[in-house]
Amino acid sequence: MSIPAVLGVSGIRPKIVDQAEVPIIVDGTEGRVILWPDEETLQRYRRKCEESERQELQLLETSLLAAVSKDGVEVKVMANIDLPEEIGEAQRFGAAGVGLYRSEFLYIEKSPEMPTEEEHLAIYRHLIEASAPHPAIIRTYDLGGRKIAREVMETREANPVLGLRGIRLTLARPDIFRTQVRALIRATVFGELWIMLPMVTIVEEIRQFRAFCEEVMAELEEEEIPFSRDFKLGSMVEVPATAMITDILAREVDFFSIGTNDLIQYSLAVDRNNEHVSDLYRPLHPAILRMLTQVIGNGRAAGLEVSLCGEMGADPELTPVLLGAGLRRVSVSPRQVATIKRRIRELHVEGLDRLVRDCATLSTGEEVREFLSQHLGPAGVVGLGANVD
Ligand code: PEP
Ligand code: MG
């Protein structure tokens, strides 16, 4: 939303409460908060602001171009949307459709009321039409966990992140979630809709959801409400067990989307919101690299589209790693779309697969970082004997 933010700065609150006059610099790029900056720092940051405005103009030029690497590999860079108003930014920065609409934000916005079928439908229609000719990937509610849903949760949970969350909650309360599923199926008449399920861990969840859709479609037929059967159904891969069975899961769905925010949290047993362990939250842990390569490989071998919609996709330094792992579709916040497209356009993809394979055999995330800094130039692999100009 273009609001700079820095999270997990412990001990800062007492320093700033009741001090309305304190000048503060919030540097969301570097992850710094500077209290009482001196004149020199203020000047430096004013120059930085001007520079970032200039860069933004350059990025807007990139947004008109396709995300094609120097050696001709095309990548679809899509947008993650929390609020429907963000679609304008996504279009401005040249997104290839919506890669993740977090529909639970609609619920959170309306709470304590439940959104109506017509409210769901209007938003889905808007996102689908604005995404054309690309698809819009709409995720069913990912409520539960930390996205508390008081209206639908019947009991308190001691460990909600491992509890009734995402698809589990949807299937547990079909009475409540029918409204959303009806709106999704009705939205299929407006263009290309891919429906995505969060927190899938077992194949039965997909089968049950399909049966739920069949029921809803029979109901709509009865009511003579139009819909199309021509939509894709996909699973998020956010849990290590799910990653391990992607060859099996591929028989049940039309696409995967890797949710690295949760996949890293659950794989490394590191709460993604806990500042005390935030240094252990490591996207380059060899286990994560192995999992990514495996999931993307399994999906592609089965002819499925594989996307990645976690924050890992939004870091241009990691773009070569993701391309090397075989990724050809990624979804990031609207403002990062052009940055990632620009990075892709600078790169040669050839040789990156070998680089990632080598990284996955190293012992630690730090070694991986070091290896990458030695073997990654601005245009791709260097010093591994790959054929790169
Ligand atoms: C993820 O887990 O990577 C993801 C995209 O979902 P969320 O951040 O909404 O949990
Ligand atoms: Mg998630």
Side-chain angles (χ1 to χ4, degrees):
M1 300 185 74
S2 313
I3 300 171
V6 178
L7 306 185
V9 189
S10 45
I12 195 168
R13 274 240 237 149
K15 297 198 173 121
I16 53 176
V17 284
D18 299 332
Q19 298 200 39
E21 299 299 312
V22 179
I24 301 177
I25 294 172
V26 179
D27 180 347
T29 314
E30 298 279 329
R32 273 170 216 266
V33 180
I34 304 170
L35 304 179
W36 304 290
D38 56 23
E39 193 47 40
E40 194 196 320
T41 311
L42 271 174
Q43 288 298 345
R44 188 156 47 86
Y45 270 92
R46 285 203 184 101
R47 283 196 299 276
K48 262 187 135 176
C49 285
E50 283 163 18
E51 174 60 19
S52 83
E53 274 162 27
R54 252 195 313 277
Q55 278 177 3
E56 181 159 328
L57 287 178
Q58 279 173 1
L59 279 177
L60 282 172
E61 284 165 21
T62 312
S63 62
L64 301 172
L65 306 169
V68 180
S69 72
K70 281 216 181 319
D71 48 356
V73 175
E74 187 174 4
V75 181
K76 301 285 184 203
V77 183
M78 310 177 82
N80 289 350
I81 304 270
D82 293 347
L83 305 174
E85 302 83 71
E86 288 175 275
I87 191 75
E89 285 267 281
Q91 288 173 315
R92 206 158 71 88
F93 286 104
V98 171
L100 162 65
Y101 170 54
R102 292 183 165 98
S103 68
E104 60 273 12
F105 277 84
L106 175 60
Y107 169 93
I108 292 164
E109 226 180 319
K110 290 271 156 188
S111 172
E113 313 223 314
M114 295 295 284
T116 65
E117 187 173 319
E118 296 307 317
E119 280 166 341
H120 278 287
L121 186 61
I123 289 174
Y124 300 162
R125 175 179 189 169
H126 177 56
L127 295 180
I128 292 168
E129 289 178 346
S131 294
H134 306 285
I137 306 183
I138 298 182
R139 181 171 78 180
T140 58
Y141 284 147
D142 185 16
L143 290 167
R146 284 180 180 271
K147 296 162 188 157
I148 296 162
R150 281 188 201 86
E151 291 76 14
V152 287
M153 301 288 285
E154 280 163 349
T155 49
R156 275 184 175 275
E157 296 177 302
N159 201 350
V161 177
L162 300 180
L164 203 52
R165 184 189 158 181
I167 186 66
R168 301 172 182 179
L169 184 59
T170 298
L171 294 175
R173 297 297 309 270
D175 52 327
I176 289 176
F177 294 107
R178 183 171 235 94
T179 311
Q180 175 171 49
V181 177
R182 276 179 64 99
L184 281 168
I185 304 279
R186 287 177 63 190
T188 51
V189 297
F190 299 116
E192 201 180 335
L193 171 64
W194 297 12
I195 300 174
M196 177 158 83
L197 308 179
M199 273 296 286
V200 169
T201 48
I202 54 174
V203 162
E204 291 92 318
E205 284 161 342
I206 305 287
R207 293 185 184 157
Q208 270 186 51
F209 187 82
R210 271 196 200 280
F212 191 5
C213 289
E214 286 299 332
E215 241 177 64
V216 165
M217 287 192 277
E219 206 173 83
L220 292 174
E221 240 157 28
E222 187 110 320
E223 295 167 32
E224 295 183 9
I225 296 176
F227 65 89
S228 158
R229 286 183 174 269
D230 191 16
F231 60 88
K232 283 193 182 4
L233 180 63
S235 169
M236 288 200 72
V237 178
E238 302 182 276
V239 179
T242 315
M244 298 297 291
I245 59 158
T246 37
D247 53 335
I248 299 165
L249 195 61
R251 299 182 210 131
E252 311 275 335
V253 292
D254 306 306
F255 69 96
F256 292 142
S257 187
I258 309 174
T260 48
N261 302 341
D262 277 311
L263 187 61
I264 296 169
Q265 153 166 276
Y266 291 124
S267 302
L268 304 185
V270 172
D271 178 350
R272 64 194 252 193
N273 295 312
N274 182 339
E275 70 207 52
H276 303 294
V277 286
S278 58
D279 69 317
L280 291 173
Y281 190 90
R282 296 185 185 181
L284 289 180
H285 190 297
I288 302 299
L289 296 183
R290 289 180 185 197
M291 251 184 264
L292 291 180
T293 312
Q294 186 179 335
V295 172
I296 297 165
N298 284 340
R300 289 181 66 176
L304 262 56
E305 290 279 356
V306 182
S307 176
L308 184 148
C309 59
E311 279 306 305
M312 196 174 172
D315 182 347
E317 283 188 25
L318 301 182
T319 305
V321 175
L322 299 180
L323 298 189
L327 195 73
R328 298 294 179 263
R329 187 180 284 276
V330 63
S331 189
V332 299
S333 63
R335 295 189 71 78
Q336 283 305 100
V337 168
T339 307
I340 297 302
K341 282 171 86 167
R342 186 170 66 185
R343 185 69 189 112
I344 291 164
R345 291 178 61 81
E346 290 166 354
L347 283 169
H348 283 267
V349 170
E350 189 183 358
L352 291 175
D353 54 345
R354 193 177 137 203
L355 182 85
V356 174
R357 269 201 310 276
D358 288 351
C359 284
T361 63
L362 299 172
S363 313
T364 67
E366 245 342 282
E367 283 178 28
V368 172
R369 254 192 206 286
E370 180 62 20
F371 188 79
L372 287 174
S373 71
Q374 283 167 7
H375 295 290
L376 256 184
V381 175
V382 286
L384 277 180
N387 181 21
V388 176
D389 58 23

